[in-house]
Amino acid sequence: MPSRNIVNIILLGPGKVGKTFLNILMKNIEHIENTYRISLKVTGVFSSEREITDSNGLALSSLKKIIQGKKILRRATKPSNVHMLMNSGRPFILIDTTSSDNTAELILSALKKGGFAVLSNKRPLCLNFDIYNNFLKSGAQRLFFETTVGAGLPVIETLKSLIETGDEIIELNGCLSGTLGFIFSQIESGMTFSGSILSAKKMGYTESDPREDLKGSDVARKLLILSRLTGMHKEITDINLQALYPEKMNALTVDNFIKEISIYDRIYKGKMTEAKKSGKTIRFIARIKGNKLSANLTMVKKSGDLGSLQGPDNLIVIRTKRYFHHPLIIKGPGAGLEVTAAGVLSDILKIIKIIKGGIS
Ligand SMILES: NC(=O)c1ccc[n+]([C@@H]2O[C@H](COP(=O)([O-])OP(=O)(O)OC[C@H]3O[C@@H](n4cnc5c(N)ncnc54)[C@H](OP(=O)(O)O)[C@@H]3O)[C@@H](O)[C@H]2O)c1
Protein backbone atom coordinates (compact mmCIF):
# COMPACT_ATOMS: atom_id res chain seq x y z
CA MET A 1 0.00 0.00 0.00
CA PRO A 2 1.51 3.44 -0.92
CA SER A 3 2.59 5.48 2.12
CA ARG A 4 0.48 8.48 3.07
CA ASN A 5 1.78 12.01 2.54
CA ILE A 6 2.49 13.75 5.83
CA VAL A 7 1.60 17.44 5.87
CA ASN A 8 2.74 19.60 8.77
CA ILE A 9 0.61 22.43 10.13
CA ILE A 10 2.21 25.32 12.00
CA LEU A 11 -0.21 27.68 13.72
CA LEU A 12 0.58 31.31 14.55
CA GLY A 13 -2.07 32.87 16.79
CA PRO A 14 -3.92 30.48 19.11
CA GLY A 15 -6.55 33.12 19.88
CA LYS A 16 -10.31 32.86 19.35
CA VAL A 17 -10.13 31.93 15.65
CA GLY A 18 -6.97 29.83 16.10
CA LYS A 19 -8.48 27.73 18.90
CA THR A 20 -11.79 27.30 17.07
CA PHE A 21 -9.83 26.20 14.00
CA LEU A 22 -7.92 23.57 16.03
CA ASN A 23 -11.20 22.33 17.46
CA ILE A 24 -12.82 21.96 14.01
CA LEU A 25 -9.63 20.35 12.67
CA MET A 26 -9.58 17.79 15.50
CA LYS A 27 -13.28 16.96 14.97
CA ASN A 28 -12.74 16.36 11.24
CA ILE A 29 -9.16 15.10 11.05
CA GLU A 30 -9.94 11.41 10.76
CA HIS A 31 -12.40 11.97 7.94
CA ILE A 32 -9.98 14.30 6.11
CA GLU A 33 -7.05 11.91 6.53
CA ASN A 34 -9.07 8.97 5.25
CA THR A 35 -10.65 10.88 2.38
CA TYR A 36 -7.37 12.30 1.10
CA ARG A 37 -5.07 9.48 2.27
CA ILE A 38 -2.91 11.97 4.09
CA SER A 39 -1.58 12.51 7.63
CA LEU A 40 -1.90 15.96 9.15
CA LYS A 41 0.48 16.84 12.00
CA VAL A 42 0.23 20.06 13.98
CA THR A 43 3.93 20.54 14.71
CA GLY A 44 3.87 23.92 16.37
CA VAL A 45 1.59 26.52 17.93
CA PHE A 46 3.01 30.00 18.48
CA SER A 47 1.73 33.13 20.17
CA SER A 48 3.81 36.32 20.04
CA GLU A 49 6.00 35.22 22.94
CA ARG A 50 5.19 31.60 23.63
CA GLU A 51 5.28 28.32 21.75
CA ILE A 52 4.78 24.58 21.87
CA THR A 53 6.42 22.37 19.26
CA ASP A 54 6.96 18.72 18.40
CA SER A 55 8.43 17.93 15.01
CA ASN A 56 6.53 14.60 15.00
CA GLY A 57 3.19 16.31 15.69
CA LEU A 58 1.76 17.54 18.99
CA ALA A 59 -0.15 14.99 21.05
CA LEU A 60 -3.93 15.14 20.90
CA SER A 61 -3.95 15.83 24.65
CA SER A 62 -1.80 18.96 24.15
CA LEU A 63 -4.02 20.21 21.32
CA LYS A 64 -7.10 19.67 23.52
CA LYS A 65 -5.48 21.74 26.29
CA ILE A 66 -4.75 24.58 23.86
CA ILE A 67 -8.36 24.49 22.62
CA GLN A 68 -9.55 24.65 26.24
CA GLY A 69 -7.38 27.72 26.81
CA LYS A 70 -4.99 25.99 29.23
CA LYS A 71 -1.66 27.76 29.38
CA ILE A 72 0.70 25.07 28.10
CA LEU A 73 2.77 27.20 25.71
CA ARG A 74 6.30 27.90 26.95
CA ARG A 75 8.40 31.03 26.55
CA ALA A 76 9.59 31.10 22.95
CA THR A 77 13.18 30.67 21.88
CA LYS A 78 14.97 33.29 19.81
CA PRO A 79 15.25 32.87 16.88
CA SER A 80 11.84 31.36 16.71
CA ASN A 81 11.40 27.61 16.20
CA VAL A 82 8.98 28.37 13.36
CA HIS A 83 11.99 28.35 10.99
CA MET A 84 13.19 25.01 12.31
CA LEU A 85 9.72 23.49 11.74
CA MET A 86 9.53 24.93 8.23
CA ASN A 87 12.82 23.16 7.38
CA SER A 88 11.51 19.67 8.14
CA GLY A 89 11.60 18.60 4.51
CA ARG A 90 7.88 17.75 4.60
CA PRO A 91 5.14 19.77 2.90
CA PHE A 92 3.87 22.32 5.41
CA ILE A 93 1.15 24.91 5.90
CA LEU A 94 1.82 28.03 7.94
CA ILE A 95 -1.43 29.40 9.34
CA ASP A 96 -1.67 33.01 10.48
CA THR A 97 -4.68 33.61 12.72
CA THR A 98 -2.93 36.42 14.59
CA SER A 99 -3.93 40.06 14.42
CA SER A 100 -0.29 41.08 14.06
CA ASP A 101 1.62 43.21 11.56
CA ASN A 102 4.76 41.18 12.29
CA THR A 103 4.08 37.87 10.57
CA ALA A 104 4.88 38.98 7.00
CA GLU A 105 8.50 37.84 7.21
CA LEU A 106 7.51 34.33 8.30
CA ILE A 107 4.86 34.10 5.59
CA LEU A 108 7.38 35.18 2.97
CA SER A 109 9.90 32.69 4.30
CA ALA A 110 7.28 29.89 4.18
CA LEU A 111 6.46 30.69 0.55
CA LYS A 112 10.14 30.92 -0.40
CA LYS A 113 10.74 27.48 1.12
CA GLY A 114 7.96 26.05 -1.06
CA GLY A 115 5.47 25.88 1.80
CA PHE A 116 1.84 27.00 1.86
CA ALA A 117 0.30 29.82 3.89
CA VAL A 118 -3.28 30.34 5.04
CA LEU A 119 -4.22 33.69 6.56
CA SER A 120 -7.28 34.96 8.39
CA ASN A 121 -5.10 37.91 9.40
CA LYS A 122 -5.52 40.79 6.94
CA ARG A 123 -2.55 42.84 8.09
CA PRO A 124 0.33 41.10 6.26
CA LEU A 125 -1.57 41.55 2.99
CA CYS A 126 -2.02 45.27 3.65
CA LEU A 127 1.57 46.34 4.20
CA ASN A 128 3.22 48.21 1.36
CA PHE A 129 2.68 46.88 -2.14
CA ASP A 130 6.27 45.63 -2.50
CA ILE A 131 5.71 43.19 0.37
CA TYR A 132 2.46 41.96 -1.17
CA ASN A 133 4.21 41.61 -4.52
CA ASN A 134 6.99 39.59 -2.88
CA PHE A 135 4.35 37.18 -1.55
CA LEU A 136 2.98 36.78 -5.08
CA LYS A 137 6.40 36.34 -6.64
CA SER A 138 7.39 33.78 -4.01
CA GLY A 139 4.26 31.63 -4.30
CA ALA A 140 0.98 33.22 -5.40
CA GLN A 141 -0.54 29.76 -5.93
CA ARG A 142 0.46 28.68 -2.42
CA LEU A 143 -1.02 31.67 -0.56
CA PHE A 144 -4.64 31.40 0.67
CA PHE A 145 -6.63 34.06 2.50
CA GLU A 146 -10.32 33.43 1.88
CA THR A 147 -11.39 34.43 5.40
CA THR A 148 -9.75 37.87 5.33
CA VAL A 149 -12.82 39.30 3.55
CA GLY A 150 -16.32 38.16 4.49
CA ALA A 151 -15.02 35.39 6.82
CA GLY A 152 -16.42 32.10 5.48
CA LEU A 153 -18.14 33.67 2.44
CA PRO A 154 -16.52 32.75 -0.90
CA VAL A 155 -15.49 36.31 -1.80
CA ILE A 156 -11.79 35.88 -2.61
CA GLU A 157 -12.29 32.66 -4.54
CA THR A 158 -15.09 34.17 -6.61
CA LEU A 159 -13.13 37.29 -7.45
CA LYS A 160 -10.01 35.26 -8.33
CA SER A 161 -12.02 32.96 -10.56
CA LEU A 162 -13.66 35.90 -12.39
CA ILE A 163 -10.28 37.47 -13.06
CA GLU A 164 -8.51 34.25 -13.99
CA THR A 165 -11.21 33.49 -16.55
CA GLY A 166 -10.70 36.86 -18.20
CA ASP A 167 -13.63 38.82 -16.78
CA GLU A 168 -13.17 42.51 -16.01
CA ILE A 169 -14.28 44.11 -12.74
CA ILE A 170 -16.22 47.28 -13.54
CA GLU A 171 -17.43 48.16 -10.08
CA LEU A 172 -17.50 46.52 -6.65
CA ASN A 173 -19.67 47.78 -3.79
CA GLY A 174 -19.85 46.13 -0.44
CA CYS A 175 -21.05 46.31 3.13
CA LEU A 176 -17.93 44.66 4.55
CA SER A 177 -18.39 45.42 8.24
CA GLY A 178 -21.00 43.51 10.19
CA THR A 179 -20.63 45.99 13.04
CA LEU A 180 -21.28 49.06 10.90
CA GLY A 181 -24.09 47.24 9.07
CA PHE A 182 -25.76 46.52 12.41
CA ILE A 183 -25.28 50.11 13.66
CA PHE A 184 -26.83 51.71 10.57
CA SER A 185 -29.76 49.33 10.38
CA GLN A 186 -30.45 50.18 14.04
CA ILE A 187 -30.33 53.92 13.25
CA GLU A 188 -32.69 53.28 10.33
CA SER A 189 -35.21 51.75 12.74
CA GLY A 190 -35.07 54.82 14.98
CA MET A 191 -32.24 54.19 17.44
CA THR A 192 -29.65 56.90 18.13
CA PHE A 193 -26.06 56.60 16.88
CA SER A 194 -24.68 56.26 20.42
CA GLY A 195 -27.48 53.84 21.42
CA SER A 196 -26.79 51.64 18.41
CA ILE A 197 -23.04 51.59 19.21
CA LEU A 198 -23.83 50.51 22.77
CA SER A 199 -26.23 47.88 21.53
CA ALA A 200 -23.62 46.55 19.02
CA LYS A 201 -21.09 46.42 21.86
CA LYS A 202 -23.50 44.49 24.10
CA MET A 203 -24.18 42.01 21.29
CA GLY A 204 -20.41 41.42 20.98
CA TYR A 205 -20.29 42.85 17.44
CA THR A 206 -17.75 45.60 18.15
CA GLU A 207 -14.11 45.33 19.12
CA SER A 208 -13.60 46.06 22.83
CA ASP A 209 -12.79 49.61 21.72
CA PRO A 210 -15.61 50.43 19.25
CA ARG A 211 -13.43 53.10 17.60
CA GLU A 212 -11.60 50.20 15.89
CA ASP A 213 -14.82 49.61 13.93
CA LEU A 214 -15.95 53.22 13.66
CA LYS A 215 -12.70 54.46 12.13
CA GLY A 216 -13.29 52.12 9.18
CA SER A 217 -9.73 50.76 9.05
CA ASP A 218 -10.87 47.13 9.08
CA VAL A 219 -13.11 47.81 6.07
CA ALA A 220 -10.23 49.67 4.41
CA ARG A 221 -7.97 46.63 4.82
CA LYS A 222 -10.58 44.34 3.25
CA LEU A 223 -11.02 46.77 0.38
CA LEU A 224 -7.27 46.96 -0.18
CA ILE A 225 -7.05 43.15 -0.32
CA LEU A 226 -9.86 43.04 -2.90
CA SER A 227 -8.29 45.81 -4.98
CA ARG A 228 -4.89 44.10 -5.00
CA LEU A 229 -6.60 40.89 -6.12
CA THR A 230 -8.03 42.76 -9.09
CA GLY A 231 -4.49 43.78 -10.02
CA MET A 232 -4.48 47.33 -8.62
CA HIS A 233 -1.19 48.46 -7.06
CA LYS A 234 -2.80 50.40 -4.20
CA GLU A 235 -1.68 51.35 -0.72
CA ILE A 236 -3.99 51.73 2.30
CA THR A 237 -3.43 55.50 2.16
CA ASP A 238 -4.91 55.58 -1.38
CA ILE A 239 -8.35 54.80 0.06
CA ASN A 240 -10.72 57.69 0.53
CA LEU A 241 -11.77 56.61 4.02
CA GLN A 242 -14.36 58.27 6.23
CA ALA A 243 -14.04 57.81 9.98
CA LEU A 244 -17.36 58.07 11.82
CA TYR A 245 -16.03 60.25 14.63
CA PRO A 246 -13.48 63.12 14.73
CA GLU A 247 -9.82 62.28 15.23
CA LYS A 248 -9.59 64.26 18.48
CA MET A 249 -11.80 61.60 20.14
CA ASN A 250 -8.94 59.09 19.81
CA ALA A 251 -7.40 60.70 22.89
CA LEU A 252 -10.36 59.66 25.11
CA THR A 253 -10.65 56.52 27.19
CA VAL A 254 -13.13 53.96 25.83
CA ASP A 255 -15.68 54.86 28.56
CA ASN A 256 -15.41 58.58 27.89
CA PHE A 257 -15.60 58.01 24.14
CA ILE A 258 -18.85 56.09 24.60
CA LYS A 259 -20.24 58.86 26.85
CA GLU A 260 -19.28 61.67 24.48
CA ILE A 261 -20.19 60.09 21.14
CA SER A 262 -23.86 60.97 21.81
CA ILE A 263 -23.12 64.56 20.72
CA TYR A 264 -23.10 63.16 17.16
CA ASP A 265 -26.54 61.52 17.47
CA ARG A 266 -28.25 64.54 15.90
CA ILE A 267 -25.92 64.48 12.86
CA TYR A 268 -26.53 60.81 12.03
CA LYS A 269 -30.26 61.15 12.68
CA GLY A 270 -30.28 64.10 10.26
CA LYS A 271 -28.43 62.11 7.58
CA MET A 272 -30.88 59.21 7.92
CA THR A 273 -33.95 61.51 7.82
CA GLU A 274 -32.57 63.19 4.70
CA ALA A 275 -31.97 59.81 3.02
CA LYS A 276 -35.45 58.52 3.90
CA LYS A 277 -37.09 61.52 2.17
CA SER A 278 -36.05 60.08 -1.19
CA GLY A 279 -36.64 56.38 -0.44
CA LYS A 280 -33.03 55.87 0.57
CA THR A 281 -31.04 54.84 3.62
CA ILE A 282 -27.39 55.13 4.65
CA ARG A 283 -24.82 52.37 4.73
CA PHE A 284 -21.04 52.27 5.13
CA ILE A 285 -20.03 51.24 1.62
CA ALA A 286 -16.62 50.09 0.42
CA ARG A 287 -16.25 50.73 -3.28
CA ILE A 288 -13.88 50.06 -6.14
CA LYS A 289 -14.83 52.11 -9.17
CA GLY A 290 -12.41 52.69 -12.02
CA ASN A 291 -9.10 53.41 -10.39
CA LYS A 292 -10.63 54.79 -7.17
CA LEU A 293 -11.11 53.18 -3.78
CA SER A 294 -13.42 54.57 -1.12
CA ALA A 295 -15.05 53.49 2.12
CA ASN A 296 -17.63 55.92 3.42
CA LEU A 297 -21.20 56.58 4.44
CA THR A 298 -23.30 56.53 1.32
CA MET A 299 -26.99 57.05 0.57
CA VAL A 300 -28.34 53.95 -1.17
CA LYS A 301 -31.82 52.98 -2.39
CA LYS A 302 -33.70 51.39 0.53
CA SER A 303 -35.15 48.77 -1.81
CA GLY A 304 -31.76 47.93 -3.37
CA ASP A 305 -29.40 45.08 -2.46
CA LEU A 306 -27.20 47.13 -0.12
CA GLY A 307 -30.06 49.23 1.32
CA SER A 308 -32.24 46.25 2.20
CA LEU A 309 -29.41 44.48 4.03
CA GLN A 310 -30.23 44.25 7.74
CA GLY A 311 -28.15 43.50 10.81
CA PRO A 312 -24.55 42.31 10.81
CA ASP A 313 -24.53 40.43 7.49
CA ASN A 314 -22.04 41.33 4.74
CA LEU A 315 -23.02 41.86 1.14
CA ILE A 316 -20.82 42.37 -1.90
CA VAL A 317 -22.09 43.39 -5.31
CA ILE A 318 -19.62 42.70 -8.12
CA ARG A 319 -20.41 44.21 -11.52
CA THR A 320 -18.18 42.82 -14.24
CA LYS A 321 -18.17 42.79 -18.03
CA ARG A 322 -19.96 39.42 -17.90
CA TYR A 323 -22.17 40.16 -14.90
CA PHE A 324 -23.09 43.63 -16.06
CA HIS A 325 -26.89 43.92 -16.08
CA HIS A 326 -27.32 41.50 -13.19
CA PRO A 327 -24.27 41.87 -10.95
CA LEU A 328 -22.97 38.96 -8.94
CA ILE A 329 -23.97 39.15 -5.28
CA ILE A 330 -22.44 37.39 -2.28
CA LYS A 331 -24.31 37.72 0.99
CA GLY A 332 -24.18 36.21 4.46
CA PRO A 333 -22.48 36.37 7.85
CA GLY A 334 -19.17 38.20 7.41
CA ALA A 335 -17.74 37.34 10.83
CA GLY A 336 -18.00 34.67 13.50
CA LEU A 337 -15.58 32.16 14.93
CA GLU A 338 -17.13 28.99 13.51
CA VAL A 339 -17.53 30.28 9.94
CA THR A 340 -14.06 31.83 9.97
CA ALA A 341 -12.32 28.76 11.38
CA ALA A 342 -14.19 26.54 8.92
CA GLY A 343 -13.02 28.89 6.14
CA VAL A 344 -9.42 28.39 7.27
CA LEU A 345 -9.94 24.62 7.17
CA SER A 346 -11.50 24.93 3.73
CA ASP A 347 -8.33 26.70 2.49
CA ILE A 348 -6.32 23.82 3.96
CA LEU A 349 -8.43 21.30 2.03
CA LYS A 350 -7.68 23.22 -1.20
CA ILE A 351 -3.98 22.86 -0.36
CA ILE A 352 -4.28 19.15 0.36
CA LYS A 353 -5.86 18.69 -3.07
CA ILE A 354 -2.92 20.55 -4.63
CA ILE A 355 -0.41 18.44 -2.70
CA LYS A 356 -2.18 15.24 -3.67
CA GLY A 357 -2.37 16.42 -7.28
CA GLY A 358 1.34 17.15 -7.24
CA ILE A 359 0.94 20.76 -8.35
CA SER A 360 3.51 23.19 -6.92
N1 LIG B 1 -13.24 36.83 14.69
C1 LIG B 1 -13.72 36.80 13.44
O1 LIG B 1 -14.90 36.62 13.18
C2 LIG B 1 -12.74 36.99 12.30
C3 LIG B 1 -13.22 36.88 10.98
C4 LIG B 1 -12.29 37.00 9.94
C5 LIG B 1 -10.97 37.26 10.20
N2 LIG B 1 -10.57 37.42 11.52
C6 LIG B 1 -9.16 37.71 11.77
O2 LIG B 1 -8.56 36.57 12.39
C7 LIG B 1 -7.49 37.00 13.23
C8 LIG B 1 -7.65 36.41 14.62
O3 LIG B 1 -8.82 36.91 15.22
P1 LIG B 1 -9.18 36.52 16.73
O4 LIG B 1 -10.52 37.04 16.98
O5 LIG B 1 -8.88 35.09 16.95
O6 LIG B 1 -8.07 37.40 17.53
P2 LIG B 1 -7.46 37.11 18.97
O7 LIG B 1 -8.41 36.31 19.79
O8 LIG B 1 -6.97 38.42 19.47
O9 LIG B 1 -6.21 36.16 18.67
C9 LIG B 1 -5.00 36.59 18.15
C10 LIG B 1 -3.93 35.62 18.61
O10 LIG B 1 -2.70 35.94 17.96
C11 LIG B 1 -1.63 35.90 18.92
N3 LIG B 1 -0.54 36.72 18.38
C12 LIG B 1 -0.43 38.07 18.32
N4 LIG B 1 0.71 38.43 17.70
C13 LIG B 1 1.32 37.29 17.33
C14 LIG B 1 2.53 36.99 16.64
N5 LIG B 1 3.34 37.96 16.19
N6 LIG B 1 2.88 35.68 16.44
C15 LIG B 1 2.08 34.68 16.89
N7 LIG B 1 0.92 34.90 17.55
C16 LIG B 1 0.54 36.19 17.77
C17 LIG B 1 -2.28 36.39 20.19
O11 LIG B 1 -1.60 35.96 21.33
P3 LIG B 1 -0.57 36.91 22.15
O12 LIG B 1 -1.17 38.27 22.18
O13 LIG B 1 -0.46 36.23 23.47
O14 LIG B 1 0.68 36.85 21.36
C18 LIG B 1 -3.63 35.67 20.11
O15 LIG B 1 -3.50 34.34 20.57
C19 LIG B 1 -7.51 38.52 13.23
O16 LIG B 1 -6.54 39.00 12.32
C20 LIG B 1 -8.93 38.86 12.73
O17 LIG B 1 -9.01 40.10 12.07
C21 LIG B 1 -11.41 37.27 12.56
Side-chain angles (χ1 to χ4, degrees):
M1 198 190 291
S3 67
R4 290 185 171 206
N5 292 82
I6 298 177
V7 177
N8 288 348
I9 291 177
I10 304 164
L11 175 69
L12 309 177
K16 294 187 286 297
V17 172
K19 282 191 283 216
T20 312
F21 158 71
L22 284 178
N23 194 26
I24 296 184
L25 176 67
M26 287 306 110
K27 283 187 179 152
N28 293 284
I29 195 160
E30 203 181 320
H31 176 65
I32 295 170
E33 289 185 330
N34 288 336
T35 305
Y36 296 100
R37 301 203 49 75
I38 204 158
S39 284
L40 294 174
K41 305 277 181 207
V42 180
T43 53
V45 175
F46 296 81
S47 68
S48 55
E49 292 180 348
R50 305 185 82 80
E51 64 179 41
I52 181 165
T53 64
D54 183 335
S55 51
N56 293 315
L58 294 168
L60 186 60
S61 56
S62 302
L63 293 172
K64 277 189 181 155
K65 283 181 189 152
I66 298 170
I67 293 165
Q68 289 160 359
K70 297 200 172 134
K71 297 193 179 349
I72 63 162
L73 276 62
R74 292 176 282 273
R75 191 148 291 282
T77 56
K78 301 252 184 289
S80 156
N81 273 322
V82 180
H83 289 286
M84 181 270 289
L85 293 177
M86 292 198 294
N87 287 332
S88 71
R90 287 183 187 154
F92 71 88
I93 306 170
L94 181 73
I95 300 178
D96 180 355
T97 52
T98 75
S99 38
S100 168
D101 279 324
N102 302 328
T103 53
E105 209 183 307
L106 285 175
I107 294 163
L108 189 60
S109 173
L111 297 173
K112 282 189 171 158
K113 288 176 200 287
F116 293 81
V118 173
L119 283 59
S120 75
N121 179 16
K122 296 171 268 299
R123 289 169 187 266
L125 301 168
C126 298
L127 302 169
N128 71 54
F129 186 78
D130 288 345
I131 296 177
Y132 180 78
N133 206 27
N134 267 340
F135 288 158
L136 299 189
K137 283 198 287 197
S138 307
Q141 303 302 323
R142 284 179 281 110
L143 176 64
F144 293 78
F145 46 93
E146 184 59 73
T147 56
T148 55
V149 182
L153 301 177
V155 179
I156 303 288
E157 189 167 298
T158 305
L159 203 54
K160 262 190 183 170
S161 150
L162 288 171
I163 293 160
E164 282 171 2
T165 56
D167 205 348
E168 208 177 290
I169 310 300
I170 301 205
E171 186 176 353
L172 181 151
N173 286 282
C175 284
L176 302 179
S177 161
T179 314
L180 297 181
F182 176 82
I183 288 174
F184 285 97
S185 34
Q186 292 291 94
I187 296 176
E188 189 185 299
S189 51
M191 198 181 267
T192 59
F193 180 54
S194 56
S196 61
I197 294 170
L198 264 183
S199 152
K201 192 164 164 46
K202 277 195 195 125
M203 302 279 285
Y205 292 145
T206 67
E207 298 291 329
S208 48
D209 182 345
R211 282 171 290 198
E212 286 301 312
D213 301 289
L214 297 169
K215 66 180 157 199
S217 41
D218 192 55
V219 173
R221 283 191 200 102
K222 292 174 185 172
L223 186 62
L224 185 67
I225 291 172
L226 295 178
S227 76
R228 287 178 169 180
L229 260 187
T230 69
M232 294 168 100
H233 293 199
K234 294 288 187 186
E235 301 293 350
I236 199 93
T237 46
D238 293 328
I239 299 174
N240 173 7
L241 174 67
Q242 178 186 13
L244 299 176
Y245 64 91
E247 201 173 338
K248 62 179 186 215
M249 294 185 85
N250 282 328
L252 300 173
T253 61
V254 175
D255 286 346
N256 284 340
F257 171 79
I258 289 171
K259 268 185 217 144
E260 291 194 19
I261 194 69
S262 61
I263 52 179
Y264 295 97
D265 285 353
R266 219 163 40 87
I267 290 180
Y268 288 103
K269 186 176 176 201
K271 284 181 194 285
M272 189 59 86
T273 309
E274 195 53 39
K276 282 184 176 178
K277 277 184 196 159
S278 51
K280 293 184 173 166
T281 184
I282 47 176
R283 294 285 181 262
F284 195 80
I285 307 286
R287 171 175 293 136
I288 301 177
K289 190 162 189 197
N291 190 32
K292 298 258 182 308
L293 305 182
S294 61
N296 45 35
L297 269 190
T298 309
M299 275 201 208
V300 289
K301 247 202 284 170
K302 175 68 197 121
S303 55
D305 297 310
L306 293 159
S308 55
L309 187 71
Q310 289 295 313
D313 277 0
N314 280 194
L315 188 138
I316 295 166
V317 185
I318 309 172
R319 189 185 300 282
T320 71
K321 238 177 167 175
R322 289 186 199 132
Y323 293 87
F324 187 79
H325 295 294
H326 299 284
L328 201 152
I329 294 172
I330 303 167
K331 179 183 173 189
L337 298 182
E338 286 283 322
V339 287
T340 306
V344 170
L345 182 57
S346 166
D347 275 349
I348 289 177
L349 293 180
K350 290 174 204 156
I351 293 171
I352 291 174
K353 286 174 198 160
I354 294 175
I355 291 173
K356 291 300 283 185
I359 303 162
S360 62

